Amino acid sequence: MDNHNLLEIIGIYTPPINAINIANYFGILVSFCDFGEKYQNIYSFNDGEEIYINKNIHPYKMNFSIAREFSHIKLNGKKFFESNEYKPNQGIIELLTENTNEVNVNKFALNLIAPPNMLKKYFKYSSKKSMEILFMLDFHLIQYQLNSKQLVW
């Protein structure tokens, strides 16, 4: 099932796309936590059934982090989280790396909350700041999505 179908099933046709609503729709709980000083650099992690988000990060980073953890669950299944391969999200967005699993997860998450068909509708008529607000996403990720889909600002 691709992201377009996922959003259609849920009934989401316009931005902003709140990743919490998507996770909840599929029965995945989202908890906002204080990770403490020792783990303040951790943005999020999950156990295959629940997503834990650092309540102290920016809301746009929260939205992408939730989408990213949801993507791990959808693409990798629960056994992945019991393996040594899964690592908590430290805010490093790997879109160009040799770790194809992380690339796929990040691209799935990005396509989920900033789908190209929605970006096409707004990017020519909106400022960078309004695009961030509309898509609840840091602009550098919107820019990556625009560039990767051959859309020009």
Side-chain angles (χ1 to χ4, degrees):
M1 176 180 306
D2 66 17
N3 293 354
H4 180 72
N5 291 340
L6 263 174
L7 296 176
E8 203 169 90
I9 288 168
I10 300 169
I12 297 174
Y13 302 99
T14 59
I17 298 172
N18 188 330
I20 296 170
N21 295 339
I22 296 168
N24 289 166
Y25 182 88
F26 287 95
I28 300 165
L29 299 174
V30 178
S31 296
F32 295 89
C33 308
D34 185 343
F35 291 171
E37 192 172 319
K38 183 176 180 181
Y39 299 105
Q40 67 184 350
N41 292 335
I42 302 288
Y43 281 25
S44 60
F45 67 95
N46 77 75
D47 61 10
E49 296 174 2
E50 187 167 0
I51 297 170
Y52 304 91
I53 295 293
N54 183 338
K55 70 177 187 175
N56 298 312
I57 62 174
H58 191 279
Y60 299 162
K61 292 185 187 323
M62 281 184 191
N63 197 47
F64 183 76
S65 293
I66 293 165
R68 185 182 178 283
E69 296 299 338
F70 173 80
S71 298
H72 263 300
I73 293 168
K74 293 301 282 181
L75 295 176
N76 298 315
K78 187 170 180 169
K79 287 189 178 192
F80 178 71
F81 305 100
E82 297 164 356
S83 75
N84 291 333
E85 193 176 336
Y86 176 74
K87 303 284 187 264
N89 176 13
Q90 294 184 330
I92 299 165
I93 310 303
E94 296 182 75
L95 293 164
L96 303 169
T97 181
E98 291 180 16
N99 186 336
T100 55
N101 184 56
E102 285 303 308
V103 170
N104 291 338
V105 163
N106 287 324
K107 286 183 178 180
F108 188 94
L110 193 53
N111 285 325
L112 188 64
I113 60 175
N117 63 320
M118 288 186 196
L119 284 174
K120 285 179 192 176
K121 290 181 184 177
Y122 299 99
F123 85 96
K124 288 184 180 179
Y125 310 104
S126 302
S127 68
K128 292 177 182 181
K129 189 66 181 169
S130 60
M131 289 290 283
E132 281 186 327
I133 293 167
L134 184 60
F135 286 93
M136 294 172 43
L137 189 62
D138 283 334
F139 187 75
H140 74 279
L141 291 173
I142 293 171
Q143 187 68 54
Y144 173 84
Q145 186 75 326
L146 290 169
N147 291 340
S148 70
K149 304 304 177 191
Q150 284 81 42
L151 302 171
V152 181
W153 191 267

